[in-house]
Amino acid sequence: MTIVNIEDLRRRARRRLPKVVFDFIDGGAQDETTLRANRADFGAWELLPKMLVDVSRRSLATTVLGRAISLPVMIAPTGMSGLATPRGELHAARAAQAAGTIYCLSTPATCSIEEVAAATGEPFWFQLYVMRDRGATRAMVERAAAAKCGALVLTIDLALQGLRERDAYNGFTVPPRVTARNLLEVLARPRWIADMVRGPRLTFANFTDATSAGGGFINLGKHINAQFDQSVTWKDVEWLRSVFPGPLVLKGVLTARDAQLAAAHGAAAVIVSNHGARQLDHVPSSIRALPEVVEAVGDRVEVYCDSGVRRGTDIAKALALGARAVLVGRPILYGMGALGPPGAARALEILRAELDNTLALLGAPSPAALDSSFVRRR
Ligand SMILES: Cc1cc2nc3c(=O)[nH]c(=O)nc-3n(C[C@H](O)[C@H](O)[C@H](O)COP(=O)(O)O)c2cc1C
């Protein structure tokens, strides 16, 4: 099968991963209304090219929080990336480094902050979920600071885990459990089984003994709901700013109100995101929410955007609407699920080539050249 685009990686990942794993990566909450909107709403914008502009010299470079990156696409934090391929976080972090962009490590990752730091020697970002045990939370933030993480990304849209019904039907656990029902289907994926048997045991590597899940098969939703603090408020944003010396980024903003509160509480940037439609169903797609957030705080904080980005044209639309950069979650996991470790770099390469093509054909030789004159609502 020839791989041309991100959807090709997705199709190949679907064939290579057991259904229980593919669905965990691919699925959204409940009726997946927002999941569909994340794709469909990019289609609600058309691109308006400017012809006869000199695009012979192009660059995709930009900066985020003062750091130069060579393409305006960062890797979003995804828990349990080791399900796509063993040590998935390390491969994704190395792919970001090779592409000259930023990797964001998730709290429930299968590789630790220290392992990613040792693998890349580059300042990646760390995404935090606040745990009930504030001492353990503080210790995790201090480890991120010690590893010179360039930003702390606080995810604010997960008071509880969203209701992901594919996972409920599949009996998803960490590690995935082979049952009478899925045995044949799992056996039909021998490469994935071999990878998992040869690879290290899947664990929540950032958690110390006191906060780890212990052994056995863990229901991720139940585990998260038991460990993570549901009483987090804007006050805690200030607490985290006092604990982490670098910039704080708030991930999961969908309204002007929350964007303004984020700016007022000292966030350096916000990520317009619906968590890849994995949390509350029926919230707006992020490309729909983006303009109001940019309008509210774009002059005060940097605005990034994720959820549903699959094409260079999607990235161009987000940038034209005022995002400084986008993040991608599933494209990287599809890549690694399809091709193993090299798949993360392949996904970034596809997006880079598509964005370069888009900018050239739009008559915008760099991200900075894009503005709202390049897009129009259908
Ligand atoms: C399998 C998976 C695990 C995720 N885990 C986390 C996580 O641990 N922390 C977090 O802030 N976001 C998490 N996300 C959300 C991503 O950071 C990001 O917002 C989302 O994937 C973007 O949408 P996209 O997958 O359509 O690109 C996860 C997403 C997926 C698909």
Side-chain angles (χ1 to χ4, degrees), residues 74-150:
M74 301 184 274
I75 299 186
T78 54
M80 293 287 113
S81 302
L83 282 170
T85 200
R87 327 276 305 143
E89 289 86 0
L90 299 189
H91 301 302
R94 288 192 187 114
Q97 181 179 30
T101 189
I102 291 172
Y103 175 70
C104 185
L105 178 70
S106 150
T107 288
T110 66
C111 298
S112 69
I113 296 170
E114 292 75 15
E115 286 171 310
V116 174
T120 62
E122 190 117 327
F124 56 99
W125 290 2
F126 181 66
Q127 175 267 325
L128 181 75
Y129 288 128
V130 175
M131 288 160 286
R132 287 172 197 242
D133 182 339
R134 291 303 175 94
T137 306
R138 189 190 182 105
M140 210 182 270
V141 174
E142 284 167 355
R143 284 165 58 200
K148 305 212 165 26
C149 286

Side-chain angles (χ1 to χ4, degrees), residues 298-334:
D299 55 344
R300 277 182 288 164
V301 302
E302 293 192 352
V303 179
Y304 321 127
C305 169
D306 78 21
S307 300
V309 173
R310 301 290 179 270
R311 287 288 192 186
T313 49
D314 300 337
I315 303 166
K317 287 174 188 180
L319 298 189
L321 290 170
R324 193 161 184 91
V326 302
L327 297 88
V328 288
R330 293 184 186 86
I332 303 298
L333 300 175
Y334 295 148

Side-chain angles (χ1 to χ4, degrees), residues 3 5-11 13 25-26 39 73-76 78 84 92 276 306-311 314-315 326-340 342-351:
I3 304 268
N5 55 39
I6 299 296
E7 178 59 23
D8 294 332
L9 290 175
R10 175 177 179 269
R11 271 196 288 263
I25 292 169
D26 191 60
R39 291 299 306 131
V73 180
M74 301 184 274
I75 299 186
T78 54
D306 78 21
S307 300
V309 173
R310 301 290 179 270
R311 287 288 192 186
D314 300 337
I315 303 166
V326 302
L327 297 88
V328 288
R330 293 184 186 86
I332 303 298
L333 300 175
Y334 295 148
M336 294 194 294
L339 305 173
R346 184 69 169 272
L348 286 179
E349 188 43 47
I350 288 171
L351 293 171

Side-chain angles (χ1 to χ4, degrees), residues 19 33 65 75 96 111 124 132 147 152 171 191 220 228 255 275 284 288 293 299 305 308 319 348 351:
K19 181 170 163 45
T33 312
L65 299 177
I75 299 186
C111 298
F124 56 99
R132 287 172 197 242
L152 184 69
R191 260 191 303 176
L220 189 62
F228 296 178
T255 59
H275 212 112
R288 209 183 163 90
V293 171
D299 55 344
C305 169
L319 298 189
L348 286 179
L351 293 171

